[in-house]
Amino acid sequence: MDNTFEEEQRHLSETYEKLVSMRDELTKDLETRHKGIAQDLIDMSEEIRPDFVGADETMETLAAIETLNSVIDAYNQMHDFAVDKLRRVLLLLMQPYFAKVRLQMRPGRPAQDVYIGAAGVTDSNRRPLIVDWRSPIAETYYNQEMGATSYQVDGKTRTVNLELRRQFDISQDVLHMYFDTTVAIEDSLLLRALKRHHSEKLQAITATIQREQNAIVRHDDVPVMLVNGIAGSGKTSVLLQRIAYLFYREREALRPDQVYLFTPNSIFERYIDTVLPSMGESNPQTYTWRGFLTRLGLSERGTGADASPERLLTLSERLPNLQLEPDDLRDIRVGDTVLLKPSQVTGAVEKFSRFPVGPRFAALVCDELHSRLDRRFTQMSKSETLHEEILGLDLDEQFEIFGETINASNDDELARFARTYVEHRYGSAHDSIEQLLWLRLDRIGMRMLGSEGISAAEWLYLKLLISGHGAKDARYVMIDEVQDYTVTQLMVLARYFSRAHFLLLGDEYQAIREGTATFEQIRQIFTETHGGIEELPLLTSYRSSPEITELFASLMDDSSRMSLSSVRMPGVAPVFASYADRDEYLQALARCVDEAAGEEGLTAIVAAGRSRVSWLSRQLGERVTVMHKDETLPKEGVVLLDLRLAKGLEFDHVIIPDAQREVYPDTPLARRQLYTAISRAMHKVTIFAQGEMSPLLAGRL
C-alpha cells in the first residue's frame, strides 16, 4: 500500500468537498442576494422624498440619493466578488490542483504544504486552500530548485527552503498518479503529457511549464521582449501563459481589450482560442495582419505587407517639407449633411500653416475644427424645423435619445433637448475630425511617393506620421511567428502601438518566405521605436521525438544545433522513400495515407505550396480533408494543407509528399521550409520524393 497516495487522495477528497460546498453556497447566496438586493433598493428609494424647495431640504435630498448610490456600488462590488469566486471554484472543480510544494518559510519553523492550481481560493477562515499558479509563492514550483530557493513579492526577494516538489495527475476528485520531481528532465508529469496525441485545440501547459519557459512567463515588464525559440519549444503556449500572467498581475488595471495578439492565420487563431478561457481568462483582441487592416477599414486596399520599407522611410523624410494643397482637404459630413464646408476646413488649416505638418499641427487643427463644429451644432439646434422634428418623436424615440420624455416648458428647455438631438445625430463628426478624415491621405501620399496609388500599410503609416498616435489604450501587443512579418509590417505595428509593450516570438529557421524581416532587422525596428529590446532563447523541443528533432536540427547551422535538445522518450525513426515512376509514387503515398487514417491522432500531409495541395487533392480524393484558412482542425483523420497554413500547428504524424530536389533544392529558403515542415510532427514523419530526393536529406535513404 502506498501510504502517500492514500494520504494525498484523502486531502484531494476533502478539498473537493470544500469546493463543492463553496459552489453551492455561492450559487445560493447569489440567488438570494439578487432578490434581497432588489427589495432593499426599492425600500431605500421609496424613503427618499425629493425636496428641492430650500437649501437645507435640497442638501438632505442629495445626501439621501448619494447614500443610495453608495449602497448600490457596495452591492455591485460584493456581487462581482462572489461571481469571480464562483468562476474560480467552477474552474477548480475540473482539476483542483496539479502540484504541491513543501516550504520551510523560516529556519526552525515547521514546513508548510502549498497546493497550486489553475486558480486560487481561500477557505472559510480566509486561509489559502489552493494558490494560483501565477502567485509569487508558486514560483518555487517552477524554479525547479530543491533546497534553498526564492520568489519575488512586491519587488522584494523572499528566500525559503523547498523540501518537496510533488506533481499530480488529477481529474475532479480522483487522484490518478503523483510524482516527486526535482529537475526538468525528470519531470514525469511533463513526459506523460507529451505522450498524449494531438488535440484539435492547443492545450494549456500550466502544470508543465519548464524553467526556461517560466523565465519568459514571469519576466519583468519591459518595452520589448524577443523570444527566439526552436520548433516545438512551446513559444505559443508560453505566449498565452504570459498573457494569463499579466492579467493576474494587473487584474485591477488590465482589460482584455487592451491586449492585442497577432496570429499567422485563421486556422491557428481557432487552434488557440480555448487556452485562456480554460485558465479562467478572456481572450485578447486577436488578429491576423489582414484582419487588423479590415478592422481599420482598409480591407479594400492591397495590404502592403510586401511593399518596400524604403517607401515608408520616404514618407518620413518628406513629411517635414510637405505643403498642403487646397485639394488635399475635404469637408466634414455625416451622411449627406455637410457640417463643415471645405472652406471652413481650409481656414482652420491656414490658421496653423506656420507649423510643419505633423502631430502638433494635426492636434491644433483638430482642436480648431472641434470648436467650429460645436458652434455649428449650436446654430443647428436653434432651427425651428429641428424643433418640430423633435416634438414629433414618439415616446420610444424620446427615451432612446434623451433618456426621458420631452417636457419642454420654455424655449431654453427646448434648446437643451435640441442640442442633445443634434449631438445624437451628428456627433460622429467629432470622430471624423480625430480620424483625420478632413485630409485626403491618398492624394497626399501619392504626391509624396510619386506613385499612382498607396497600399494600406503606406496609408496607415502616413496617418500615424501626421497624427502621432495609433492605439491609445493598447497596453500589450503579442506577435507570434514574428519571423513571417516583413519590415514594412513591423514598422507599421511598432508605430501604431507605440505606447504598448511588445512580446515577439519566433524562430529564425522558420522564415519560409522571401523578404521577411531578419532578427537583426527586428532588433533595429524596435530599438528605434521603443528604446531597446531584451532577448530570451527557448532551446528545448517538447513537441517532437528525439529522432524527429535530430532530423530537423540537421538543417540548422552547427552552432544552433549544438545547443538544442528534446525531452521526449525515443520514438519511431523517420521514413524516407523516393520513386522515379509516378504511378508507383502515388500508390505508395496512397498506402501511407490509408495506414495513417487508421492510426490514433491526426495526420497532416504538408505540401510545399497551394498548387501542390491542389494536385495532391485530385490524386488522393476522399482519402484526405483539404484544410482552408477559415476552418478548424479535426481531432483525428488525415488532412492536407500547404506549409503556410501548417505554421505553428502540430500533428501526430506528418507526411511530406514532395521532398524532391525541384521543390526543396539546397538553398537557405528551402532549408528553412523543410525544417518547418518536419518540425510539425510529434511522433512520426514520413517523407516521399517523386524523383530524386532533396540534397538537404542526402544520405537518409
Side-chain angles (χ1 to χ4, degrees):
M1 176 182 291
D2 186 338
N3 291 331
T4 299
F5 186 95
E6 297 297 324
E7 181 182 329
E8 291 292 1
Q9 179 61 66
R10 279 196 299 274
H11 179 84
L12 173 60
S13 300
E14 292 170 4
T15 301
Y16 195 83
E17 287 180 9
K18 291 178 182 178
L19 291 171
V20 170
S21 178
M22 286 182 191
R23 179 199 63 192
D24 295 343
E25 288 176 8
L26 286 166
T27 303
K28 182 179 180 181
D29 183 51
L30 283 169
E31 291 175 351
T32 304
R33 186 180 294 172
H34 272 301
K35 297 176 183 176
I37 288 174
Q39 189 58 52
D40 287 348
L41 295 179
I42 290 171
D43 293 343
M44 288 186 67
S45 62
E46 289 179 347
E47 290 176 4
I48 297 175
R49 295 290 180 264
D51 188 349
F52 299 98
V53 175
D56 292 341
E57 290 80 1
T58 298
M59 291 297 294
E60 186 175 336
T61 299
L62 293 176
I65 294 173
E66 181 62 26
T67 300
L68 178 60
N69 288 335
S70 298
V71 171
I72 292 173
D73 289 342
Y75 277 143
N76 285 337
Q77 290 176 4
M78 287 189 294
H79 174 270
D80 292 345
F81 176 80
V83 169
D84 180 65
K85 187 171 183 178
L86 178 59
R87 174 189 61 78
R88 286 181 278 124
V89 168
L90 292 175
L91 178 63
L92 292 173
L93 282 171
M94 293 184 284
Q95 183 191 49
Y97 46 82
F98 56 79
K100 158 183 159 179
V101 289
R102 182 168 294 155
L103 301 173
Q104 186 181 43
M105 310 303 289
R106 297 177 184 175
R109 299 289 296 274
Q112 300 178 15
D113 286 343
V114 178
Y115 287 84
I116 302 169
V121 293
T122 56
D123 62 18
S124 57
N125 296 317
R126 303 202 174 193
R127 291 175 300 194
L129 181 65
I130 302 164
V131 303
D132 194 295
W133 68 274
R134 296 163 291 188
S135 66
I137 200 169
E139 190 172 358
T140 59
Y141 167 75
Y142 294 111
N143 285 343
Q144 296 166 342
E145 294 175 339
M146 299 302 293
T149 188
S150 63
Y151 59 95
Q152 299 287 320
V153 182
D154 297 329
K156 298 179 181 179
T157 300
R158 181 156 189 186
T159 302
V160 295
N161 190 59
L162 177 61
E163 297 183 356
L164 175 73
R165 180 177 183 267
R166 180 168 290 165
Q167 297 173 294
F168 303 104
D169 185 356
I170 289 173
S171 298
Q172 296 180 323
D173 60 346
V174 178
L175 173 62
H176 302 294
M177 296 185 74
Y178 75 90
F179 315 95
D180 287 347
T181 61
T182 54
V183 296
I185 200 66
E186 299 172 4
D187 195 330
S188 302
L189 189 63
L190 170 65
L191 296 177
R192 280 174 58 83
L194 294 177
K195 287 181 182 178
R196 295 173 183 155
H197 287 274
H198 159 86
S199 167
E200 70 274 22
K201 296 288 187 180
L202 183 67
Q203 305 299 304
I205 62 166
T206 309
T208 58
I209 294 173
Q210 299 302 289
R211 187 168 184 174
E212 66 173 357
Q213 297 171 325
N214 185 55
I216 297 166
V217 172
R218 294 176 184 264
H219 199 282
D220 292 340
D221 199 4
V222 294
V224 183
M225 195 189 321
L226 174 61
V227 177
N228 191 358
I230 68 164
S233 58
K235 295 183 294 297
T236 301
S237 294
V238 167
L239 179 153
L240 295 168
Q241 303 288 149
R242 171 70 172 174
I243 293 174
Y245 176 74
L246 291 171
F247 281 145
Y248 175 84
R249 191 184 68 182
E250 302 185 38
R251 52 191 175 277
E252 301 298 327
L254 183 63
R255 305 188 309 271
D257 64 352
Q258 294 175 310
V259 181
Y260 289 72
L261 171 58
F262 284 83
T263 65
N265 51 60
S266 299
I267 288 181
F268 186 81
E269 184 176 331
R270 288 175 173 80
Y271 180 55
I272 66 173
D273 62 9
T274 60
V275 174
L276 285 167
S278 74
M279 292 186 280
E281 301 292 354
S282 301
N283 280 319
Q285 298 199 55
T286 307
Y287 296 104
T288 60
W289 170 254
R290 189 176 294 277
F292 171 65
L293 295 178
T294 299
R295 171 183 173 270
L296 297 178
L298 302 174
S299 59
E300 300 301 319
R301 304 168 181 268
T303 68
D306 298 319
S308 169
E310 298 300 324
R311 288 171 65 87
L312 302 188
L313 295 175
T314 298
L315 292 173
S316 297
E317 292 166 357
R318 294 182 178 176
L319 184 66
N321 298 316
L322 173 66
Q323 297 295 318
L324 292 177
E325 300 175 355
D327 288 342
D328 293 337
L329 308 175
R330 58 158 59 100
D331 58 30
I332 297 294
R333 64 171 63 210
V334 172
D336 294 329
T337 303
V338 176
L339 299 167
L340 294 179
K341 299 177 182 178
S343 60
Q344 293 172 293
V345 175
T346 300
V349 168
E350 290 177 345
K351 184 175 181 179
F352 303 104
S353 59
R354 65 186 182 279
F355 297 104
V357 176
R360 185 181 183 189
F361 166 83
L364 291 169
V365 173
C366 284
D367 286 345
E368 178 65 21
L369 291 174
H370 286 309
S371 297
R372 296 187 181 208
L373 184 62
D374 284 337
R375 291 196 293 272
R376 171 76 165 129
F377 283 174
T378 299
Q379 180 186 21
M380 294 173 70
S381 65
K382 297 177 180 177
S383 166
E384 292 185 5
T385 301
L386 187 78
H387 293 177
E388 292 176 2
E389 188 175 330
I390 292 171
L391 295 173
L393 296 172
D394 61 34
L395 291 179
D396 289 340
E397 291 172 324
Q398 292 177 30
F399 269 109
E400 179 185 349
I401 297 171
F402 308 113
E404 58 181 313
T405 56
I406 297 174
N407 183 19
S409 57
N410 54 56
D411 290 343
D412 290 341
E413 192 71 8
L414 184 58
R416 181 177 67 82
F417 282 113
R419 181 56 190 254
T420 301
Y421 186 64
V422 170
E423 291 279 1
H424 173 77
R425 288 189 59 178
Y426 303 111
S428 61
H430 283 293
D431 296 330
S432 298
I433 291 172
E434 286 298 313
Q435 292 297 319
L436 304 188
L437 296 186
W438 44 276
L439 283 174
R440 298 183 186 274
L441 292 176
D442 280 284
R443 188 177 190 279
I444 296 169
M446 288 187 289
R447 189 166 75 253
M448 294 174 70
L449 294 173
S451 63
E452 296 182 357
I454 60 173
S455 68
E458 292 159 352
W459 187 95
L460 181 55
Y461 197 76
L462 176 58
K463 180 182 176 183
L464 293 170
L465 289 173
I466 294 175
S467 67
H469 58 77
K472 295 180 180 179
D473 293 334
R475 295 277 309 282
Y476 296 97
V477 178
M478 318 294 187
I479 302 180
D480 204 3
E481 305 288 350
V482 69
Q483 77 282 341
D484 288 343
Y485 286 74
T486 64
V487 171
T488 293
Q489 288 174 299
L490 294 177
M491 287 177 66
V492 171
L493 292 175
R495 187 173 285 271
Y496 186 84
F497 296 103
S498 60
R499 301 181 184 183
H501 285 190
F502 278 78
L503 174 58
L504 313 171
L505 298 97
D507 178 359
E508 55 189 328
Y509 288 98
Q510 292 190 61
I512 63 173
R513 293 194 300 120
E514 291 282 13
T516 54
T518 65
F519 269 53
E520 181 55 38
Q521 289 172 319
I522 293 171
R523 295 182 191 102
Q524 292 175 357
I525 292 167
F526 285 93
T527 297
E528 290 177 6
T529 58
H530 287 69
I533 188 167
E534 189 160 339
E535 297 187 52
L536 292 171
L538 286 174
L539 300 173
T540 304
S541 174
Y542 303 98
R543 173 191 299 146
S544 304
S545 67
E547 294 82 359
I548 296 171
T549 301
E550 187 276 329
L551 178 58
F552 71 71
S554 69
L555 299 167
M556 304 169 70
D557 62 53
D558 292 340
S559 61
S560 299
R561 190 186 317 161
M562 293 285 290
S563 56
L564 66 86
S565 63
S566 170
V567 300
R568 282 185 174 270
M569 300 297 290
V572 180
V575 176
F576 302 84
S578 65
Y579 301 90
D581 181 77
R582 172 179 162 178
D583 290 339
E584 189 179 357
Y585 159 79
L586 287 173
Q587 290 171 7
L589 180 60
R591 284 195 301 272
C592 181
V593 171
D594 289 340
E595 291 173 4
E599 296 172 353
E600 186 177 357
L602 182 64
T603 294
I605 305 172
V606 181
R610 294 176 184 172
S611 61
R612 296 289 304 174
V613 168
S614 179
W615 183 80
L616 286 165
S617 175
R618 292 195 298 272
Q619 308 309 313
L620 297 172
E622 295 182 358
R623 287 184 172 91
V624 299
T625 300
V626 179
M627 297 302 302
H628 302 287
K629 65 179 182 179
D630 294 324
E631 296 176 337
T632 301
L633 285 173
K635 187 174 183 179
E636 55 189 9
V638 181
V639 296
L640 171 62
L641 70 170
D642 69 82
L643 183 56
R644 289 195 186 187
L645 284 183
K647 287 292 298 293
L649 305 177
E650 60 184 30
F651 308 93
D652 294 287
H653 182 185
V654 166
I655 300 172
I656 299 175
D658 47 11
Q660 52 266 27
R661 174 185 288 272
E662 294 78 13
V663 178
Y664 292 104
D666 189 359
T667 65
L669 179 61
R671 185 177 294 272
R672 296 193 299 269
Q673 291 171 334
L674 193 55
Y675 165 99
T676 303
I678 294 170
S679 63
R680 301 306 91 205
M682 299 165 63
H683 306 294
K684 189 175 179 181
V685 168
T686 306
I687 300 177
F688 288 96
Q690 186 181 348
E692 183 182 355
M693 184 70 73
S694 165
L696 298 171
L697 300 172
R700 295 286 181 174
L701 288 173

